[in-house]
Amino acid sequence: MTEENITENKQVESIENKEEVLNIDVEEVSPDTPLNPIASDSTTPNINYLDKKILDMKTINLDELNKAQSENAIDKSIYDTAVLDIKQNRIVDGKVINITEKGVFIDIGFKSEGMIPKDEFEEMPDLDASIKVYIKSFEDSKGNFVLSKQKADFEMKWNEIREIFENDGLIKGKIIKRIKGGMVVELGIVQGFLPGSQIEIYSVTDFDQYINMECDFKIVKFNEIRKNIVLSRKELLNDEITEKRQEILTQMEVGMVLEGVVKNITEFGAFIDLGGIDGLLHITDITWGRINHPSDKISLGEKVEVKVIDFDVKEVKISLGMKQLQEEPWKNIENKYSVGSKVEGKVVNLMNYGLFLQLEEGIEGLIHISEMSWTKHIKHPSDLYQINEVIEATVISLDKEKKKIALGIKQLLENPWETIETKYPTDSTHKGIVKHFTQYGAFIELEEGIDGLLHISDISWTKIIKHPNDTLNLGDEIEVKILEVSSEERKLGVGLKQLEEDPLKKYNVGDKIQAKLIKILDKGLIFEVDSSIEGILSFNEIESEEKEKIKNEYSIDENYEMLISEVNSSIKKIIFSISEDDSKPE
């Protein structure tokens, strides 16, 4: 391996090692197609540029060399050097010897000349002018060298850019167009890629505004093999801002009031541009009140006044606040919202257990669901109120240290339970609406908010009711009797059967009555005393033979005179016993 190869390999290795520590991956941000097609040589084999330094050269024998020396009177050592420089894929000096319609003919000091197409020149050179050219091939079909002016210009510019990259320098360029993922920057004959994320220190949406902008760039990726260059404008801006930030931070003090512009809004807060340095305005420091998002109070581009809460010179961090510019609302809270006072506020949140009422920015009180009505059974605050609705309430309690205010709405209304005993005395009768069923009874609404419980056992004297809907319907208007009332316990019990006398009371033990047999069962005989009362002749203490004898003596739908042995109110029935005259039908 020649010394030249060793040097070039070290350059590649140095570049590759440098790329490992950079932040941007060329594979990810480079455009889909190469930005520098001039770098690719379609006339030569597909060999990497760094591997093509030593290729085949046209050789001459010693006699030809001696002859050339004698004819041209050129020093041998100089000629040897020229021969060594004339290699394929090499930049050499050439002289313009002719310009035709086909192109520009160049003499590079060898036995044949080369031709370069006119379209490779921005301006036509003068005859005898000396220019740099690139040897693409030793000869074409006519035996002429294949040369390139653009390729020579590209290689020289590429070497210049490589040196800037290795020395961590800056390069001036012009943004010429937009492509997928970013912009194309013209660096002379070489083009570089500027990712969209590297244009500004903040997110950019309008890329077109940067077209034709000329500025300095930092080379963050330099790919020798693919001939790709990735640039960054953001890093330069960050460096400038860091210096400016340090200068501003040295003059900053906690408590300073500054003016800034809302630069960016996030879920957790907003970034405020203070003129070269950004500060974070956290969502909890925007207002003393409740907000769901910073945009509820501030907007992009808005000028705001903020106070410096804290800052870190080393980390270049600034914490800002807006609410700190106003007095803490809980400071003299007891003077504004004393216990028992009437207040007005806006509903800002509804929970299962109650609602939060904003009395002013930063001051919220809780109205528990139990404090909304004296009489109504409220399942959820949304049954009565809506977000942003303005309502009145009373201050029930105040805890300044815990920053809690308990409010009530029902306290603004008369408590009907305080006069309930007077309005609905025991044994009085009232009309009501069947409002709600439970397994154990029904609630009868006597007036709005005042319900009386009609227990299932108080519906009928004689019928066994399994569920209140056996005899009642929702919405029915019925008359009930007040059985019990308590303002202290907030209880009101009503009865339906108590509106009439218990029909069982007119029957006494020992009486004989007429009853019609309606059922014959193994356990006994069932009689109908009247339309609402049944009587039972039980076989519990009678032998089996006697049971059959009795069954044979009685017939369905026949009336019999029966002896009452018991009046049972719990089962709502009359119990019969057998007497000497029992088997005589009427």
Side-chain angles (χ1 to χ4, degrees):
M1 182 178 292
T2 66
E3 182 179 351
E4 184 180 27
N5 290 118
I6 294 172
T7 302
E8 289 169 352
N9 287 339
K10 287 183 177 178
Q11 287 178 338
V12 175
E13 183 180 355
S14 172
I15 292 168
E16 290 176 346
N17 290 339
K18 191 169 185 179
E19 287 182 345
E20 291 177 0
V21 296
L22 295 172
N23 295 324
I24 301 175
D25 188 353
V26 175
E27 298 289 344
E28 294 180 359
V29 300
S30 295
D32 297 334
T33 57
L35 295 178
N36 297 297
I38 297 173
S40 62
D41 189 354
S42 60
T43 64
T44 58
N46 186 20
I47 304 174
N48 289 335
Y49 171 72
L50 296 180
D51 296 332
K52 297 192 295 183
K53 291 299 183 180
I54 300 179
L55 297 174
D56 294 336
M57 292 193 301
K58 185 176 178 64
T59 60
I60 58 174
N61 58 38
L62 187 57
D63 291 338
E64 289 177 316
L65 181 60
N66 290 333
K67 183 179 179 181
Q69 281 183 298
S70 60
E71 289 176 355
N72 295 286
I74 299 175
D75 183 76
K76 184 177 180 180
S77 62
I78 296 174
Y79 191 82
D80 288 342
T81 304
V83 171
L84 291 173
D85 285 340
I86 300 175
K87 301 175 182 178
Q88 188 171 327
N89 302 311
R90 176 68 63 86
I91 298 174
V92 297
D93 289 323
K95 181 179 180 182
V96 180
I97 60 173
N98 192 19
I99 301 175
T100 68
E101 291 296 325
K102 294 182 179 180
V104 178
F105 289 85
I106 308 294
D107 179 12
I108 59 172
F110 210 54
K111 74 171 187 176
S112 61
E113 56 198 25
M115 192 266 289
I116 301 175
K118 280 186 174 182
D119 58 7
E120 289 199 21
F121 294 88
E122 292 184 5
E123 295 182 4
M124 283 295 105
D126 298 327
L127 286 174
D128 297 329
S130 179
I131 61 173
K132 297 283 187 182
V133 294
Y134 184 87
I135 303 173
K136 298 178 73 174
S137 178
F138 281 131
E139 58 183 359
D140 58 12
S141 59
K142 295 181 180 180
N144 294 321
F145 275 86
V146 179
L147 306 176
S148 173
K149 172 70 166 57
Q150 287 184 344
K151 183 73 172 175
D153 292 344
F154 179 87
E155 291 296 331
M156 288 188 292
K157 186 65 177 180
W158 186 261
N159 292 335
E160 178 188 332
I161 295 172
R162 182 195 296 114
E163 185 176 349
I164 293 173
F165 173 69
E166 291 174 348
N167 293 323
D168 202 24
L170 304 179
I171 187 168
K172 188 173 289 295
K174 180 181 180 181
I175 300 174
I176 59 172
K177 64 179 178 179
R178 178 178 179 178
I179 60 173
K180 182 181 178 181
M183 313 291 284
V184 175
V185 179
E186 189 178 76
L187 307 169
I189 194 169
V190 179
Q191 291 185 345
F193 178 60
L194 176 64
S197 62
Q198 297 299 308
I199 297 176
E200 289 283 2
I201 56 176
Y202 51 84
S203 179
V204 174
T205 55
D206 182 13
F207 283 51
D208 293 338
Q209 64 178 310
Y210 295 93
I211 293 177
N212 294 325
M213 175 187 283
E214 292 187 40
C215 57
D216 289 331
F217 298 93
K218 191 169 185 177
I219 304 171
V220 294
K221 282 286 185 178
F222 184 86
N223 192 308
E224 187 77 61
I225 305 302
R226 297 179 60 184
K227 289 293 187 287
N228 279 339
I229 296 172
V230 180
L231 306 170
S232 174
R233 180 171 175 264
K234 179 180 178 179
E235 286 206 14
L236 294 181
L237 297 175
N238 278 333
D239 292 342
E240 292 175 5
I241 288 175
T242 299
E243 292 179 8
K244 195 170 185 179
R245 283 174 177 174
Q246 294 291 346
E247 182 182 347
I248 295 174
L249 283 169
T250 55
Q251 303 172 8
M252 189 166 287
E253 295 179 2
V254 172
M256 288 179 65
V257 178
L258 304 172
E259 187 178 80
V261 177
V262 180
K263 184 176 180 179
N264 191 21
I265 295 177
T266 67
E267 292 288 334
F268 57 84
F271 290 94
I272 311 299
D273 184 356
L274 301 174
I277 187 169
D278 293 346
L280 174 61
L281 175 62
H282 197 270
I283 187 171
T284 57
D285 291 310
I286 294 176
T287 174
W288 291 109
R290 177 199 298 265
I291 56 174
N292 297 317
H293 194 274
S295 58
D296 294 343
K297 276 290 182 181
I298 56 177
S299 56
L300 280 175
E302 181 184 353
K303 285 186 178 181
V304 294
E305 203 171 60
V306 291
K307 191 172 186 177
V308 178
I309 301 173
D310 193 15
F311 67 92
D312 188 321
V313 177
K314 186 177 179 181
E315 298 293 332
V316 195
K317 289 183 179 179
I318 304 175
S319 296
L320 304 172
M322 282 179 64
K323 72 179 186 181
Q324 288 78 3
L325 296 172
Q326 302 171 348
E327 186 179 58
E328 208 277 332
W330 285 87
K331 189 173 181 180
N332 298 311
I333 192 72
E334 64 279 358
N335 297 332
K336 294 186 287 185
Y337 304 108
S338 57
V339 174
S341 62
K342 183 179 177 180
V343 295
E344 184 179 84
K346 181 175 67 175
V347 178
V348 292
N349 201 9
L350 297 171
M351 308 296 289
N352 289 331
Y353 53 84
L355 65 81
F356 286 93
L357 195 69
Q358 185 184 66
L359 304 180
E360 62 178 80
E361 195 169 282
I363 302 293
E364 292 180 9
L366 172 64
I367 303 177
H368 195 270
I369 198 168
S370 62
E371 302 296 340
M372 294 181 182
S373 173
W374 291 111
T375 56
K376 290 181 180 179
H377 301 283
I378 302 169
K379 294 181 178 179
H380 194 276
S382 60
D383 295 341
L384 299 176
Y385 306 103
Q386 298 177 344
I387 295 292
N388 294 326
E389 183 179 351
V390 176
I391 59 176
E392 291 182 338
T394 299
V395 179
I396 298 174
S397 65
L398 174 66
D399 190 328
K400 184 178 180 180
E401 291 185 2
K402 294 182 179 180
K403 296 183 178 180
K404 290 183 178 181
I405 298 179
L407 304 172
I409 297 175
K410 68 183 185 182
Q411 288 77 7
L412 297 173
L413 307 171
E414 181 184 356
N415 183 359
W417 288 102
E418 291 180 356
T419 58
I420 196 76
E421 294 176 0
T422 304
K423 194 170 186 179
Y424 298 101
T426 303
D427 292 332
S428 64
T429 59
H430 303 272
K431 287 186 177 181
I433 305 296
V434 179
K435 278 291 186 180
H436 179 62
F437 287 142
T438 68
Q439 197 66 35
Y440 52 85
F443 284 96
I444 312 301
E445 183 183 65
L446 302 180
E447 63 177 76
E448 186 178 1
I450 299 295
D451 293 343
L453 174 61
L454 173 60
H455 196 272
I456 199 169
S457 61
D458 291 313
I459 294 177
S460 173
W461 288 111
T462 57
K463 292 181 180 179
I464 297 177
I465 309 297
K466 294 181 178 180
H467 193 277
N469 62 11
D470 292 344
T471 58
L472 300 173
N473 297 307
L474 291 176
D476 285 351
E477 184 179 37
I478 61 173
E479 191 171 30
V480 292
K481 191 172 187 178
I482 306 299
L483 303 181
E484 62 172 333
V485 59
S486 172
S487 59
E488 186 177 344
E489 297 181 9
R490 295 189 181 183
K491 285 184 178 180
L492 183 62
V494 299
L496 186 60
K497 70 181 184 181
Q498 288 80 3
L499 292 174
E500 56 187 22
E501 190 175 356
D502 183 356
L504 291 173
K505 285 186 175 180
K506 64 183 180 179
Y507 298 101
N508 299 303
V509 175
D511 290 347
K512 287 185 178 182
I513 62 173
Q514 293 295 316
K516 183 172 73 173
L517 180 65
I518 57 176
K519 290 180 184 179
I520 299 176
L521 305 174
D522 289 337
K523 293 182 179 180
L525 303 179
I526 307 298
F527 294 86
E528 182 184 84
V529 177
D530 61 32
S531 59
S532 61
I533 300 175
E534 289 183 350
I536 299 174
L537 177 60
S538 177
F539 292 163
N540 286 342
E541 298 179 1
I542 300 176
E543 298 294 334
S544 297
E545 293 180 1
E546 187 69 19
K547 286 182 185 179
E548 293 303 319
K549 180 182 177 182
I550 295 175
K551 286 181 182 180
N552 291 331
E553 291 177 353
Y554 288 84
S555 300
I556 296 293
D557 292 334
E558 293 289 341
N559 289 317
Y560 297 91
E561 187 178 69
M562 305 300 294
L563 177 65
I564 298 175
S565 63
E566 181 184 353
V567 178
N568 194 320
S569 298
S570 61
I571 64 173
K572 306 180 188 295
K573 287 179 173 53
I574 294 173
I575 309 301
F576 295 133
S577 62
I578 298 174
S579 66
E580 294 179 359
D581 301 324
D582 285 344
S583 59
K584 298 176 181 179
E586 293 291 330

